Amino acid sequence: MNGDEACCEGALAAGCRFFAGYPITPATEIAESMSRRLPQLGGIFIQMEDEIASMAAILGASWGGVKSMTSTSGPGFSLMMENIGLGICTETPCVVCNVQRAGPSTGLPTSVGQGDVMQARWGSHGHYEIIALCPTSPQQMFDMTIRAFNLSEYYRLPVIILADEVIGHMNERVIIPREDEIEIINRRKPSVSREDYLPYKADADGIAPMANCGDGYRIHVTGLTHDDRGYPAMNAEAQEQMVSRLVDKIRNNRDKIIRTNNLYLDDAEVIVVSYGISARSAMQAVRNARNDGIKAGLITLETIWPFPEELIRNVARRAKAMIMAEINGGQMVLELERCACGACPVSLVSNFGGAIIHPNLILNAISKAAKGKI
Amino acid sequence: MVMTEKRERHVLITGFGGQGIVMAGDILGKAATLYDHKHATMTQNYGPEARGGACSSQVIISGEEILFPCVEEPEILICMSQEAYMKNVKSLRPEGTLIWDTDLVHTRKADMHHKTFHIPATRFAEQLGTKMMANIVMLGFLSAVEHLVHAEALKKAVLDSVPAATKDNNIHAFNTGREYGTSIIKGLVKPEPGKHQD
């Protein structure tokens, strides 16, 4: 099956029973598969009037107690930004899959891009932390969609799957495990009486148990800065307290959230960092470099946000050079430079979208870097 | 025993939207992965139009994991339209195999140094009831003239992929293509004269 279909199957395996979306290439097959599969499982599929409403609908469904998701591509992702912020502020578990195409604007609807990585991080207004995952194959689309639901249910926030056109439309074998082999995490429910429940009163780990609408607990959900009761609190102290918790619940759990796939890092002198489809080109290039006797290594960012700052800092100290391969004008390379912090030179192999990065371009950059030319 | 073939086999199937080009690639990949237990990857190129635009599917089959999924220099090129032929024939490896729909492509003599096969797949499909099955006729033909996957695997993948009510017709289409290909390979029939531009 293709990556989009695998995303749908992963969502269903994770327990998603509500999908609201608007079709857009190259994410249409997710919505299409959902429209076929959800009714079979007693779930609900709604084609909405636009992506703003789609995002709003999945937040509402989640408060209704149902695991929910939407899917889109760049133009729709832009429209969803405001309500993604609402999901962050109201701590609403849900999953957004953005199958990236080349932009800006309508761009190349049927061709690959990776230009939305910074938008995924900073696209909504205000300050917050986000979780975003980058699959490199249809199998990972399946696995990571399940993980996205688990992370969103546990940490209570919208989790973004940042796929790309090639992964979405690529057909490969996908192995779907038996139901009892899949780890499912569900949102934490209140353990106190109805009278004592405060919807935004967090446990010691910074995560507040969530009562659904209709469970009988008193809840109040607002995008305004709010106190533990969920009521608007219009002052700097309440803002500090609320945003600190939104930020800390992710930052303090970075080690549990961040996953990278590391190849040959033990002795690597030139380290390529990449994600999504570009990481496959990078892996080919790194293997070819090893065949040529160059000590190359690879870090594939399976979670692109939070960024693996500590890992990059550590490897930059002993690397001769680092290279970012990505399909945009250079976005994650800025993170790489920030974390390498001058410990080693950093270079970029990229294009503006429309085509996969050829492994030979990355191999050339590796060879140059190995010779100290960067 | 399944032989592990390390070499990547690169196939490019080309035509225009609506001919089932992507579906043909999907079926070939399914046959390789689900029934021949190899690795395969299929990617597609197409434009924003729903039908009629240039379209291709790129299939790589290998005994090992495939990383870079693009087919740049195919060893097998299937052309189901003139535009696709003109655009892609230059990418075919010198020792590669060129396959086309007899009625839809006027070839150039300069390209005939390749191993070449052609079949009036669309015409055969029309005779069987619908030209929509031209892709399946072509897959049957491919299974006879080139060994990429086992014919039985390909047949199973066809059955997996077509609507239930059309299974018999599609298998008939597959067999028609395969028998035509087998007869040509064995020299039992002479291929129809191809159409040349020059």
Side-chain angles (χ1 to χ4, degrees):
Chain A
M1 64 176 74
N2 74 23
D4 283 356
E5 290 159 344
C7 176
C8 166
E9 290 303 322
L12 297 175
C16 173
R17 292 295 179 270
F18 183 92
F19 182 99
Y22 188 85
I24 182 170
T25 305
T28 302
E29 290 91 333
I30 301 177
E32 208 178 336
S33 310
M34 282 289 193
S35 71
R36 193 170 52 243
R37 294 279 282 122
L38 269 173
Q40 296 168 356
L41 299 168
I44 292 173
F45 169 91
I46 308 180
Q47 181 168 325
M48 301 298 293
E49 65 266 38
D50 61 25
E51 289 85 349
I52 300 174
S54 303
M55 191 63 215
I58 68 164
L59 295 179
S62 183
W63 276 100
V66 183
K67 290 188 189 177
S68 61
M69 85 171 285
T70 186
S71 62
T72 189
S73 189
F77 197 51
S78 296
L79 290 177
M80 285 177 186
M81 281 303 141
E82 183 180 4
N83 281 336
I84 286 176
L86 180 62
I88 298 282
C89 190
T90 56
E91 302 186 59
T92 310
C94 60
V95 172
V96 178
C97 182
N98 173 6
V99 187
Q100 297 171 92
R101 63 195 217 188
S105 192
T106 312
L108 296 171
T110 61
S111 299
V112 68
Q114 294 183 311
D116 305 348
V117 286
M118 281 296 170
Q119 189 185 22
R121 177 65 189 87
W122 298 112
S124 201
H125 52 277
H127 197 98
Y128 58 93
E129 290 286 327
I130 194 87
I131 299 176
L133 315 178
C134 278
T136 60
S137 65
Q139 180 70 55
Q140 280 204 338
M141 270 288 238
F142 178 86
D143 299 338
M144 282 192 186
T145 303
I146 295 173
R147 181 154 196 259
F149 272 98
N150 286 346
L151 290 167
S152 81
E153 288 284 315
Y154 189 84
Y155 294 104
R156 284 191 62 181
L157 80 169
V159 171
I160 294 164
I161 301 165
L162 269 180
D164 54 67
E165 186 273 337
V166 178
I167 301 299
H169 278 168
M170 169 194 282
N171 288 49
E172 280 184 339
R173 175 170 40 208
V174 175
I175 296 166
I176 297 180
R178 285 205 325 263
E179 211 175 309
D180 58 1
E181 292 169 342
I182 298 174
E183 190 202 2
I184 302 290
I185 296 171
N186 293 315
R187 62 191 68 172
R188 198 180 299 171
K189 306 297 283 182
S191 56
V192 297
S193 68
R194 288 177 186 181
E195 291 72 33
D196 294 333
Y197 178 64
L198 292 170
Y200 288 99
K201 171 89 177 145
D203 290 345
D205 61 356
I207 293 149
M210 182 174 177
N212 303 322
C213 297
D215 281 355
Y217 292 83
R218 183 184 298 216
I219 55 171
H220 190 265
V221 183
T222 176
L224 285 165
T225 296
H226 44 265
D227 58 20
D228 287 350
R229 298 171 302 163
Y231 290 170
M234 299 293 97
N235 59 68
E237 291 77 20
Q239 168 76 2
E240 198 63 22
Q241 199 184 347
M242 183 189 82
V243 180
S244 293
R245 204 168 56 69
L246 295 181
V247 166
D248 288 345
K249 70 178 177 181
I250 304 303
R251 282 194 187 162
N252 295 342
N253 290 297
R254 267 181 294 209
D255 293 350
K256 290 179 201 146
I257 298 167
I258 293 172
R259 277 192 197 165
T260 58
N261 182 9
N262 305 331
L263 186 67
Y264 309 131
L265 283 197
D266 292 344
D267 67 340
E269 292 175 350
V270 179
I271 297 167
V272 183
V273 182
S274 193
Y275 53 92
I277 184 61
S278 302
R280 289 174 68 136
S281 298
M283 190 176 283
Q284 185 72 62
V286 165
R287 286 193 185 161
N288 293 353
R290 285 271 162 178
N291 288 340
D292 293 350
I294 302 170
K295 286 183 176 169
L298 174 68
I299 297 173
T300 301
L301 306 173
E302 294 187 351
T303 43
I304 197 158
W305 304 115
F307 190 71
E309 297 173 346
E310 206 179 315
L311 172 69
I312 300 297
R313 264 198 291 275
N314 288 338
V315 298
R317 282 193 208 108
R318 47 192 168 83
K320 213 167 173 179
M322 297 188 86
I323 298 165
M324 174 62 76
E326 57 182 338
I327 305 174
N328 55 53
Q331 296 190 14
M332 294 311 287
V333 70
L334 301 174
E335 284 293 290
L336 196 56
E337 282 174 357
R338 178 175 72 81
C339 297
C341 205
C344 72
V346 171
S347 71
L348 170 69
V349 180
S350 74
N351 65 50
F352 287 115
I356 307 177
I357 299 172
H358 198 285
N360 287 348
L361 293 175
I362 304 171
L363 181 60
N364 286 345
I366 295 172
S367 307
K368 268 193 188 171
K371 289 176 197 145
K373 296 176 198 163
I374 193 159
Chain B
M1 197 182 82
V2 180
M3 290 283 287
T4 304
E5 192 172 13
K6 287 188 177 179
R7 188 167 68 96
E8 288 187 357
R9 309 286 312 268
H10 287 216
V11 185
L12 184 60
I13 308 174
T14 64
F16 47 81
Q19 282 183 313
I21 297 297
V22 173
M23 187 182 184
D26 184 36
I27 291 172
L28 186 55
K30 266 188 196 163
T33 52
L34 300 184
Y35 301 112
D36 276 354
H37 307 292
K38 292 182 177 178
H39 290 271
T41 178
M42 192 272 284
T43 54
Q44 46 186 302
N45 275 334
Y46 64 102
E49 317 87 347
R51 285 181 195 84
C55 168
S56 71
S57 65
Q58 316 175 31
V59 182
I60 303 176
I61 298 170
S62 173
E64 293 186 344
E65 183 192 11
I66 299 151
L67 293 172
F68 187 58
C70 296
V71 171
E72 295 172 303
E73 294 179 339
E75 58 176 288
I76 298 171
L77 172 65
I78 299 175
C79 299
M80 301 274 289
S81 79
Q82 187 65 31
E83 186 190 347
Y85 168 76
M86 295 305 286
K87 187 178 161 197
N88 295 298
V89 70
K90 285 186 283 303
S91 70
L92 183 62
R93 293 177 200 179
E95 74 283 10
T97 303
L98 177 63
I99 301 171
W100 69 92
D101 186 308
T102 315
D103 294 339
L104 301 183
V105 177
H106 288 63
T107 53
R108 299 180 309 185
K109 286 196 176 118
D111 299 322
M112 294 301 111
H113 61 279
H114 294 291
K115 199 156 81 165
T116 60
F117 297 101
H118 58 94
I119 174 174
T122 307
R123 195 197 321 149
F124 284 173
E126 271 169 346
Q127 287 163 3
L128 292 170
T130 167
K131 67 178 177 186
M132 275 170 71
M133 297 189 302
N135 57 346
I136 307 296
V137 176
M138 188 54 100
L139 283 176
F141 186 64
L142 174 69
S143 78
V145 300
E146 278 287 341
H147 184 72
L148 278 168
V149 292
H150 290 100
E152 280 311 308
L154 203 49
K155 232 184 245 190
K156 282 183 197 166
V158 169
L159 286 172
D160 277 354
S161 309
V162 299
T166 68
K167 282 186 197 291
D168 289 348
N169 283 346
N170 274 292
I171 283 303
H172 194 36
F174 183 88
N175 289 337
T176 302
R178 184 165 167 80
E179 281 157 21
Y180 186 75
T182 309
S183 314
I184 285 175
I185 292 283
K186 288 183 179 165
L188 298 177
V189 297
K190 221 173 145 228
E192 293 181 20
K195 295 172 182 172
H196 289 292
Q197 299 174 13
D198 41 19

